[in-house]
Amino acid sequence: MKNKTGRTMAQLKNLGVLLSALVLLSACNVEVKTSTEYLIEGNNFFKKRDYKNAEISYRKALEKSPNNATAQNNLGVILNELGRYDESIDVLATALKTDPKNPIAHYVIAKAYLMKKDFPKAMDEAKMAVELDKTDPIGWKTLGEVALAQGDNDTAVSALNEAVANDDTNDTTHHLLAVALGNQGDFEGQVEEERKALSISAGSYEARLGLIKALMKLGKNDDALKELNSLQEHHPENEELKELLQNSSK
């Protein structure tokens, strides 16, 4: 039987059930989100460095859309930041099945292997990352870090120079390049790169300490002592700095 609007009683009944369900969901504050909405939510948590909530959001995105490569990739990055390296590697391996030409997944896997001290696998992944995208400074930086960890200073200098060529604004990259140059005995180059790092981040302890040591290697003890006294004022209890001050005064 139809009412005056032309709807059957069955249609009206189904409509009533749907409206009741929506009212119940609203009353219970149940949120119905899409995979994309969970992904955006996760990204917002990621920007705030709220990695635990970011992980929850990315996993919810994947429940809605298991093959969402971006959610897989971002979850892998989060797990790496949380120090869950094996999980990160597994998730990113799945992401690479969805998107095999994803350089980010490769260099994050490289970082995970680096933290696990599995240097050969880290090197393979880092090389794959830069092969897929030669313009991404993070890929080159990761390759440089892995090479440094292996004591391969030539590869480290080459990779970190590429990283700097693609992005000259990262103080850590300049410092890593300085370390690699110092390992090669190029202390003038080390001083130059440490100063570049400090021009970007004046409070970098590692870059300031590297600069001091390079100046000492060059016999520029007065300059080194000036930098050392300045750094020691900010870190008065640092034993390494105390020892350097004692040695410089002999």
Side-chain angles (χ1 to χ4, degrees), residues 31-66:
E31 294 184 350
V32 180
K33 293 181 181 178
T34 66
S35 176
T36 300
E37 287 173 324
Y38 278 124
L39 178 60
I40 293 171
E41 180 181 80
N43 291 343
N44 288 333
F45 283 128
F46 192 8
K47 290 176 184 176
K48 297 174 184 176
R49 298 182 181 274
D50 185 350
Y51 299 139
K52 290 187 177 180
N53 278 316
E55 178 190 353
I56 292 170
S57 297
Y58 291 141
R59 289 196 183 279
K60 287 181 178 178
L62 289 169
E63 286 176 8
K64 296 280 185 178
S65 180

Side-chain angles (χ1 to χ4, degrees), residues 223-242:
D223 291 339
L225 186 58
K226 180 180 177 181
E227 296 285 351
L228 183 54
N229 283 326
S230 175
L231 187 59
Q232 210 267 338
E233 285 179 8
H234 294 91
H235 304 275
E237 301 304 318
N238 187 292
E239 293 299 326
E240 183 177 18
L241 297 181
K242 288 179 181 178

